[in-house]
Amino acid sequence: MIHCISGQPDVIGRHLAGDDIIFHSYDQPLPPFPIGAILILHEPPIAWLRNPVHIQPSTQRILLVENPSAGAIRLAVNQFGVVRISDLASLSKAVKELFRDSALMAAQDRVEGPAI
Amino acid sequence: MSTPQIRVAFVDDEPRTLRAFRWEFGEHFHIKTFLAGSELLAALAAGEQFDVLISDQRMPGMTGDEVLKEVSERYPPIRRLVMTAYADVGPLQTCVNEAGIDGYLEKPWDPDEVRDFIVRAHGRLLQARSRELRRIAAGNDRWSAIQTSRISGVAQLCKALGFDSTVKNTFYQTLELSTFFRPFDWSDLLLIDSSSEQELILDFLSSIESLMLLGSEFKAPCQRVLVYWWMLLKECPEGQGSSFFKQCHANGTISLSFDAGAPFGDSILDPCGDRDPKTIRRNALLLLVIQELQALGGSLLLVPDNARFKGDLLMRIESGRAI
C-alpha cells in the first residue's frame, strides 16, 4: 500500500499510474499506516520536517523532491528515517525497489507478530 | 553514559580530526580510526569487527559515499553514518539510496548528537540481529510445517493411486537428497502462501494421472520406465541433465547415470522450489519412474558428487532383472 503526503496528488498519480495511493496532507494528522506500507513525502516543507511525527518503524519512507537541499536531506534522514531520495522521474523505480522489502516485512509480521 | 562495548570505526583524512574524535568519544566507545577508506576495508578484510562506521565525505581516494556503499555491500550488518562539513547533495543522495545510512552528521560535530547517533545506530544493529534470528526461527517453523503438509499430501496421493509405501519413501529420500545442498533465502519461505498447498498436491495428482494414461499405452513395466525416464530428461532445462546421461547394459541390468541436479533441483517437497507445471510434471515423472522400478525390482540411487559442483548429484537406476 502506498501512502503519500502531497499538495499535488494528480502529479503523483500520473507518475504512479496503476498503483493505489492514499493521499494525505501536511496540515492534517497522519493515520496509523499498515505494516509494510510505503510513505512518500512529496516536497515536504522544512518546517514540517523539523517537527517529526510518529510513523511506524515498518513504514518505508521516500523523500520525493526535485532539487533537494542538504538541509532537507539531513532532516529527512535524521528525523524521518528516509531510506530513498527520489525525483518524479525515478519515483516508480524507487517504489518498486522498496516493494519487495515491504512485502517481506509484512510476511514476517504475519508469521512472527508485529514489528518492533 | 558508558558503552565501551560499541565498536566504532571512524574514517577521516585529517589526522587532527581523528585525534579529536578519539579524545572526545574514546571513553564512551571502543574507537578505531582510519586515515582512508582503503585502510578501513583492509582492516575489515583482515577480520576486524565494528558495530558502527562513521565516515567523512570529502577525502582523497575513496570518498565517504564510496566507502559507505562498499561497506554496505560487503559488511551489511555494520550500521553507517556520514559526517561532513559540506552540503554536497549528490554524494548525500548516494549515501541514502545506495549505502543505506542511518544518519547524517555535520562538522563541526555536536558531541551529544554524535553519541546519540552512535547509540541509536547500535540499537538498530541489535534490532536487526534479533530480527534476523527471529526470521530464521520463523523460516524453520514454516519449512517444517509446509514440508509436513506436503509429505502428508504425497502420502495420501500414493495411497489413492495404490502405490506401495516403499515408492513414497524412495520419493522422499530422492527429493530430500536433491535439495540438500541447495542454499536458499529464509525470506522466500516467509513469502509462500500456505493456502495453496492443497492446490499443489491436486496439481501433482492431476499431472500423475495424465502421465499414467500416456504410459498405459506401453504394456511392459520396463518400457514404461524408459518412456517416463526419457520424458523426465526431456523436461530438464535445456542443456542440462542429458549432457551427463550415460546408459549401460550389463549382466541383464540396465544402468542409467546422469546429472540429477537439473531435473530435481526444484522438488515438490521443497518449500522454496518452483511450483510451475514443468516442475510438477518432473516430480510426477520421478514418482512414476520409482513406481515402475519397484515393479521391476530395480533401485534408484542418488549419490552426492561434490567434485563437479555443489548440489550436483549423480543418479543411477538399476533394474534387478533383464529387460
Side-chain angles (χ1 to χ4, degrees), chain B residues 25-137:
Chain B
F25 304 107
E27 66 175 286
H28 303 289
F29 310 108
H30 179 76
I31 307 276
K32 185 132 189 193
T33 56
F34 301 89
L35 271 168
S38 55
E39 285 185 14
L40 166 76
L41 292 173
L44 287 167
E48 284 206 54
Q49 296 190 330
F50 300 103
D51 301 311
V52 179
L53 160 65
I54 304 177
S55 178
D56 181 33
Q57 173 53 34
R58 282 197 190 176
M59 294 185 286
M62 286 181 91
T63 54
D65 56 325
E66 288 170 340
V67 175
L68 292 160
K69 192 177 161 199
E70 187 82 13
V71 169
S72 79
E73 285 166 4
R74 288 163 62 178
Y75 308 95
I78 299 175
R79 306 310 297 198
R80 301 164 295 277
L81 301 166
V82 67
M83 182 183 274
T84 181
Y86 304 95
D88 300 334
V89 170
L92 287 175
Q93 276 191 264
T94 307
C95 286
V96 176
N97 291 348
E98 295 175 43
I101 56 165
D102 288 301
Y104 165 10
L105 296 159
E106 283 181 322
K107 278 183 180 173
W109 62 66
D110 169 352
D112 288 338
E113 187 185 51
V114 173
R115 274 194 290 272
D116 181 42
F117 269 70
I118 291 173
V119 171
R120 275 163 55 185
H122 184 248
R124 289 199 190 104
L125 172 78
L126 296 180
Q127 279 180 0
R129 274 188 195 149
S130 152
R131 195 167 180 85
E132 178 64 12
L133 289 174
R134 285 192 299 142
R135 192 164 68 98
I136 291 171

Side-chain angles (χ1 to χ4, degrees), chain A residues 38-58:
Chain A
I38 289 174
L39 173 65
I40 299 168
L41 306 174
H42 183 206
E43 300 287 358
I46 291 289
W48 189 86
L49 285 175
R50 284 208 175 98
N51 295 293
V53 290
H54 175 74
I55 297 168
Q56 288 88 332
S58 73

Side-chain angles (χ1 to χ4, degrees), chain B residues 267-289:
Chain B
S267 100
I268 199 166
L269 293 181
D270 174 7
C272 288
D274 291 338
R275 48 196 312 160
D276 59 283
K278 279 203 160 193
T279 301
I280 292 174
R281 197 172 150 87
R282 280 204 296 268
N283 279 267
L285 283 163
L286 172 63
L287 190 66
L288 288 169
V289 165

Side-chain angles (χ1 to χ4, degrees), chain B residues 177-190:
Chain B
L177 262 176
S178 75
T179 55
F180 186 75
F181 295 102
R182 198 155 61 85
F184 65 90
D185 188 340
W186 292 109
S187 321
D188 295 339
L189 266 178
L190 298 172

Side-chain angles (χ1 to χ4, degrees), chain A residues 68-70 73-74 77-78 82-85 100 103-105 107-109 111-112 115-116, chain B residues 87 89 92-93 96-97 103-104 106 113 117 120 127 131 134-135 138 142 187-188 190-191:
Chain A
S69 66
I73 293 176
R74 183 169 186 267
V77 172
N78 292 354
V82 155
V83 294
R84 285 286 187 288
I85 299 167
R100 192 186 182 277
L104 173 61
M105 217 175 271
Q108 279 179 218
D109 290 323
V111 176
E112 305 167 19
I116 310 119
Chain B
V89 170
L92 287 175
Q93 276 191 264
V96 176
N97 291 348
Y104 165 10
E106 283 181 322
E113 187 185 51
F117 269 70
R120 275 163 55 185
Q127 279 180 0
R131 195 167 180 85
R134 285 192 299 142
R135 192 164 68 98
R142 195 126 176 100
S187 321
D188 295 339
L190 298 172
L191 293 171

Side-chain angles (χ1 to χ4, degrees), chain B residues 49-314:
Chain B
Q49 296 190 330
F50 300 103
D51 301 311
V52 179
L53 160 65
I54 304 177
S55 178
D56 181 33
Q57 173 53 34
R58 282 197 190 176
M59 294 185 286
M62 286 181 91
T63 54
D65 56 325
E66 288 170 340
V67 175
L68 292 160
K69 192 177 161 199
E70 187 82 13
V71 169
S72 79
E73 285 166 4
R74 288 163 62 178
Y75 308 95
I78 299 175
R79 306 310 297 198
R80 301 164 295 277
L81 301 166
V82 67
M83 182 183 274
T84 181
Y86 304 95
D88 300 334
V89 170
L92 287 175
Q93 276 191 264
T94 307
C95 286
V96 176
N97 291 348
E98 295 175 43
I101 56 165
D102 288 301
Y104 165 10
L105 296 159
E106 283 181 322
K107 278 183 180 173
W109 62 66
D110 169 352
D112 288 338
E113 187 185 51
V114 173
R115 274 194 290 272
D116 181 42
F117 269 70
I118 291 173
V119 171
R120 275 163 55 185
H122 184 248
R124 289 199 190 104
L125 172 78
L126 296 180
Q127 279 180 0
R129 274 188 195 149
S130 152
R131 195 167 180 85
E132 178 64 12
L133 289 174
R134 285 192 299 142
R135 192 164 68 98
I136 291 171
N140 278 332
D141 290 347
R142 195 126 176 100
W143 174 287
S144 174
I146 296 174
Q147 202 81 333
T148 304
S149 154
R150 290 192 186 174
I151 287 172
S152 146
V154 174
Q156 284 173 28
L157 183 148
C158 286
K159 197 175 171 189
L161 291 167
F163 291 178
D164 193 285
S165 64
T166 320
V167 173
K168 177 197 71 183
N169 294 337
T170 310
F171 180 72
Y172 296 159
Q173 287 160 9
T174 306
L175 295 180
E176 267 179 20
L177 262 176
S178 75
T179 55
F180 186 75
F181 295 102
R182 198 155 61 85
F184 65 90
D185 188 340
W186 292 109
S187 321
D188 295 339
L189 266 178
L190 298 172
L191 293 171
I192 293 173
D193 177 11
S194 56
S195 63
S196 54
E197 288 304 301
Q198 195 56 36
E199 204 177 297
L200 174 69
I201 297 298
L202 288 174
D203 288 346
F204 191 31
L205 174 62
S206 154
S207 189
I208 291 173
E209 281 180 331
S210 65
L211 289 165
M212 281 176 80
L213 194 66
L214 209 67
S216 66
E217 299 282 322
F218 303 90
K219 300 299 171 204
C222 60
Q223 287 177 317
R224 288 197 295 271
V225 168
L226 292 175
V227 165
Y228 289 143
W229 193 246
W230 177 79
M231 288 171 74
L232 184 51
L233 294 178
K234 293 288 283 180
E235 293 284 338
C236 295
E238 199 167 335
Q240 294 180 42
S242 56
S243 56
F244 298 106
F245 180 77
K246 282 183 196 163
Q247 186 173 332
C248 163
H249 290 267
N251 303 322
T253 64
I254 181 169
S255 172
L256 303 172
S257 301
F258 77 107
D259 168 15
F264 308 131
D266 291 319
S267 100
I268 199 166
L269 293 181
D270 174 7
C272 288
D274 291 338
R275 48 196 312 160
D276 59 283
K278 279 203 160 193
T279 301
I280 292 174
R281 197 172 150 87
R282 280 204 296 268
N283 279 267
L285 283 163
L286 172 63
L287 190 66
L288 288 169
V289 165
I290 294 170
Q291 154 70 9
E292 295 298 344
L293 272 173
Q294 185 73 24
L296 279 172
S299 64
L300 178 70
L301 180 66
L302 285 181
V303 183
D305 182 7
N306 291 321
R308 273 214 290 266
F309 60 84
K310 193 179 175 188
D312 186 16
L313 306 169
L314 190 72

